[in-house]
Amino acid sequence: MSDRDDFIYDEEESVKFIQNYLPQELKGRFSNDDINYIVDLIYDFYESRGYLNDDVDDEEDIEIDEDELIEYVVKNAKKDGVGKFEPEAIGFIVQGELEYCDSINMFD
């Protein structure tokens, strides 16, 4: 079993974590469904770039272009008719998701 299998990712806990992570001016602007949708888009982005492939070397550092990720989320949310999200707000959700993953040692 690899270290990657040791963490337990919980969608509900991720959403709670992100809701708490958002700055005061963004609290209440995103429903739990909005956040789940945005997190799904984050992982779609990772998958489209090959970051989730089994053949990725665990020792290799993956550099994620956060601006590209945010642009991907904003573009796809608009295309899917889910909403027109501002890049700055999406950035806080991306950061919240990264912090949640770090809190469960997902990247160790």
Side-chain angles (χ1 to χ4, degrees):
M1 180 187 276
S2 74
D3 289 341
R4 219 177 230 170
D5 296 328
D6 293 341
F7 70 88
I8 298 173
Y9 186 94
D10 183 309
E11 267 186 33
E12 286 182 36
E13 289 300 315
S14 167
V15 169
K16 279 193 235 176
F17 189 97
I18 293 168
Q19 288 284 19
N20 287 328
Y21 184 85
L22 292 173
Q24 195 61 39
E25 65 270 12
L26 293 179
K27 291 197 184 296
R29 277 192 53 200
F30 294 95
S31 70
N32 289 350
D33 287 341
D34 288 338
I35 291 177
N36 263 325
Y37 172 79
I38 291 166
V39 168
D40 284 346
L41 284 178
I42 292 169
Y43 286 95
D44 287 348
F45 175 83
Y46 293 163
E47 193 171 313
S48 74
R49 299 304 187 271
Y51 301 151
L52 301 177
N53 292 346
D54 288 337
D55 60 346
V56 172
D57 183 3
D58 285 341
E59 300 300 314
E60 181 182 324
D61 283 339
I62 295 174
E63 292 294 322
I64 297 170
D65 183 336
E66 204 171 300
D67 291 334
E68 185 182 7
L69 170 57
I70 291 167
E71 182 181 315
Y72 178 90
V73 171
V74 170
K75 182 180 90 179
N76 281 286
K78 187 176 179 183
K79 181 183 80 169
D80 293 345
V82 174
K84 187 171 191 249
F85 300 115
E86 302 205 5
E88 297 79 23
I90 298 300
F92 283 107
I93 293 174
V94 168
Q95 284 300 315
E97 175 63 11
L98 291 172
E99 290 292 326
Y100 171 72
C101 291
D102 201 32
S103 77
I104 61 169
N105 299 319
M106 186 169 162
F107 301 126
D108 290 342

